[in-house]
Amino acid sequence: MSKKESSPSACFWESPETLAQLEVVRQWIGKHYKKYVLVDSPSCQTLSMVTLQLLQFQEDVFGKQAANPALTKLPAQCFMDLRPGGGLCHILGIAYKFKMEQGWYVLKVIYCLFLVFLLHISMSYITLQAEV
């Protein structure tokens, strides 16, 4: 995919520095979404892969190249917020919660999941921003 198509940066999400930062996200999810990740605790590499899939899906379905985008994309800063309790913590936590509630064993490509909880995440993020 060319740069002008705004594809997510695999180099960034797979870099040792980012994987180290994702440890904070992994620990936060383990604490606040404990019952949803207890059986299948994600690694930093898994969180990186899921984040890339979500970003790519957003670009494919809601980006500039989309034929008829139904919704708008979540702002990039939601995904780049790697602080404990930040945007990425909530996005990934909700993804694992939904996985468990649906009885899925593997959180592979989350395309259908993303559609279901996109509105919920948007509202949660707006609420979080209002509290800050």
Side-chain angles (χ1 to χ4, degrees):
M1 194 175 261
S2 70
K3 268 193 178 256
K4 74 179 189 178
E5 290 182 32
S6 303
S7 63
S9 172
C11 292
F12 171 79
W13 288 102
E14 295 169 354
S15 74
E17 295 82 14
T18 303
L19 292 174
Q21 289 180 324
L22 284 171
E23 179 60 24
V24 173
V25 174
R26 190 187 71 75
Q27 289 176 2
W28 189 91
I29 290 170
K31 181 177 179 184
H32 293 88
Y33 287 87
K34 188 177 197 172
K35 72 179 189 179
Y36 304 111
V37 296
L38 193 58
V39 175
D40 184 21
S41 182
S43 67
C44 294
Q45 290 81 5
T46 300
L47 295 178
S48 170
M49 179 185 70
V50 170
T51 302
L52 270 169
Q53 289 175 346
L54 287 170
L55 287 166
Q56 187 60 57
F57 175 75
Q58 268 203 141
E59 191 56 40
D60 293 346
V61 177
F62 307 123
K64 291 179 182 177
Q65 303 298 322
N68 189 15
L71 300 168
T72 188
K73 297 188 306 183
L74 287 174
Q77 66 252 34
C78 296
F79 290 92
M80 300 302 292
D81 186 358
L82 303 176
R83 296 172 297 156
L88 188 60
C89 290
H90 287 279
I91 290 169
L92 294 174
I94 291 168
Y96 278 92
K97 178 181 177 186
F98 190 83
K99 170 197 164 202
M100 175 72 95
E101 289 173 348
Q102 297 303 308
W104 295 351
Y105 294 105
V106 179
L107 190 62
K108 292 191 260 183
V109 180
I110 309 177
Y111 300 151
C112 58
L113 164 65
F114 196 77
L115 288 171
V116 171
F117 75 88
L118 180 63
L119 291 173
H120 178 71
I121 291 171
S122 298
M123 295 308 297
S124 296
Y125 189 77
I126 290 167
T127 302
L128 286 172
Q129 290 302 311
E131 293 173 1
V132 172

